[in-house]
Amino acid sequence: MTRPVVVGVDGSDASSLAVDWAVDEAVRHGLPLRLVYASLWERYESDPALAGQERPDGEPTAGDIVAAAAERAGRRNPDLEVITAVCPEEAAAALVREGEDAFALVTGSRGRGRLKGLLLGSVGLAVAARAHCPVVVVRGDRAGRAGTHERILLGLGDADTGTDAVRFAFREAEVRGCVLDVVRAWRRPAYDRGGHRLPDAERPDAYEEQAADLLAALLREPAAEHPHVRTRRTTLEGPPGRVLVDRSAAADLVVVGARRRTGHLGLQLGRVGHTLLHHAQCPVAVVPQMR
């Protein structure tokens, strides 16, 4: 069965931008688009015992929200197969479940609720931290969302978090016909393993070489599988989150990996991914490394 691009919709402006991005992504990969609206209020609508409950003032119905999203998707690409679904459950849980059979999950960077002024909505953060498929949070300026930079930015992590992210980034660069900018940030430790402070004059060459070696090792196989993808490889000294946020200003998508540990119920999102989801200047793809 073909896995769709799934986008969570809630009627917000950020949700509309996510629909636009997801339409383009589905078309690039030749996949259907699945629009999902999830809300606990739908239980009140369907449960006769709770039929007396009223929606909050001004709240649109589920039908209104998915119909508007489907209409928007149709205007953007009339030939795209669009499927809609309404889930009577908490939004993050519903989207994580939808992600089990998805090519990718797409969300906006804000919600409709009273906390929409936060840097990233709670639903987007929870989905990015728990889903078992790539999650794209659509944020940033118009140029980045529209793909005009013609550049995918890959923040290369360690081997236990980075291999699936590398393959995802190569596929994105290939279908878009753009450059893949691979960055491995490194930092010189202030203390050795014994807890002794290292001299300021110590040369950083060894740490930069380690970063370059890891970059080469993780890119070797996927680069061979995607020979037409142009890659630009860079090692930079500095905090990875800050390095990638700065470079995201000239990217159409920044890709990072995240570890998923079986049986772990808490948020499974690294510091770099967390930083990008709140501050990146283009859409962010968090790709889980399943172990």
Side-chain angles (χ1 to χ4, degrees):
M1 182 177 66
T2 301
R3 294 179 299 160
V5 174
V6 175
V7 56
V9 299
D10 64 4
S12 65
D13 291 342
S15 169
S16 296
L17 295 177
V19 169
D20 292 345
W21 194 95
V23 167
D24 296 345
E25 180 75 352
V27 170
R28 276 191 290 264
H29 291 275
L31 300 172
L33 179 70
R34 182 173 173 84
L35 304 171
V36 177
Y37 172 73
S39 172
L40 288 173
W41 277 103
E42 299 314 308
R43 292 184 180 178
Y44 294 119
E45 298 290 325
S46 59
D47 189 341
L50 301 172
Q53 298 284 345
E54 296 183 357
R55 286 178 174 269
D57 291 341
E59 284 290 312
T61 67
D64 292 338
I65 291 173
V66 296
E71 181 182 1
R72 186 181 183 97
R75 290 198 304 268
R76 194 164 184 91
N77 192 299
D79 298 325
L80 178 64
E81 179 185 354
V82 178
I83 308 159
T84 61
V86 174
C87 302
E89 59 185 298
E90 190 270 329
L95 289 174
V96 169
R97 178 175 48 77
E98 288 279 340
E100 294 175 2
D101 297 312
F103 171 81
L105 276 172
V106 183
T107 75
S109 60
R110 301 287 195 280
R112 298 185 64 253
R114 289 176 295 176
L115 300 180
K116 64 183 179 181
L118 293 177
L119 291 171
L120 175 65
S122 59
V123 172
L125 183 61
V127 171
R130 296 187 177 127
H132 288 180
C133 72
V135 175
V136 178
V137 174
V138 179
R139 55 172 300 114
D141 59 22
R142 180 178 298 179
R145 296 193 308 269
T148 60
H149 297 296
E150 298 184 345
R151 188 167 74 105
I152 301 296
L153 174 62
L154 170 62
L156 193 68
D158 296 328
D160 61 349
T161 62
T163 56
D164 288 346
V166 170
R167 296 184 185 281
F168 179 87
F170 267 92
R171 287 196 301 268
E172 284 296 309
E174 185 167 66
V175 297
R176 295 166 182 251
C178 67
V179 172
L180 177 59
D181 185 9
V182 187
V183 177
R184 170 70 180 182
W186 58 274
R187 301 186 74 176
R188 179 173 31 169
Y191 297 89
D192 62 21
R193 294 181 179 179
H196 303 100
R197 185 170 184 83
L198 296 170
D200 293 337
E202 182 180 354
R203 293 180 58 82
D205 302 26
Y207 304 108
E208 185 172 13
E209 289 174 3
Q210 290 174 6
D213 290 344
L214 178 63
L215 188 153
L218 290 182
L219 295 189
R220 186 174 297 113
E221 187 173 327
E225 295 171 352
H226 301 272
H228 300 297
V229 173
R230 296 165 293 158
T231 60
R232 175 182 170 185
R233 309 180 183 194
T234 307
T235 57
L236 289 173
E237 182 176 12
R242 188 175 67 192
V243 167
L244 293 173
V245 167
D246 290 345
R247 294 175 76 93
S248 70
D252 301 319
L253 179 68
V254 54
V255 182
V256 291
R259 184 185 296 109
R260 294 288 187 267
R261 291 174 287 173
T262 303
H264 184 78
L265 299 179
L267 295 181
Q268 301 186 58
L269 190 63
R271 181 180 301 176
V272 175
H274 196 277
T275 297
L276 287 168
L277 289 171
H278 286 84
H279 300 291
Q281 301 174 68
C282 69
V284 179
V286 177
V287 182
Q289 183 73 28
M290 303 304 300
R291 284 288 183 251

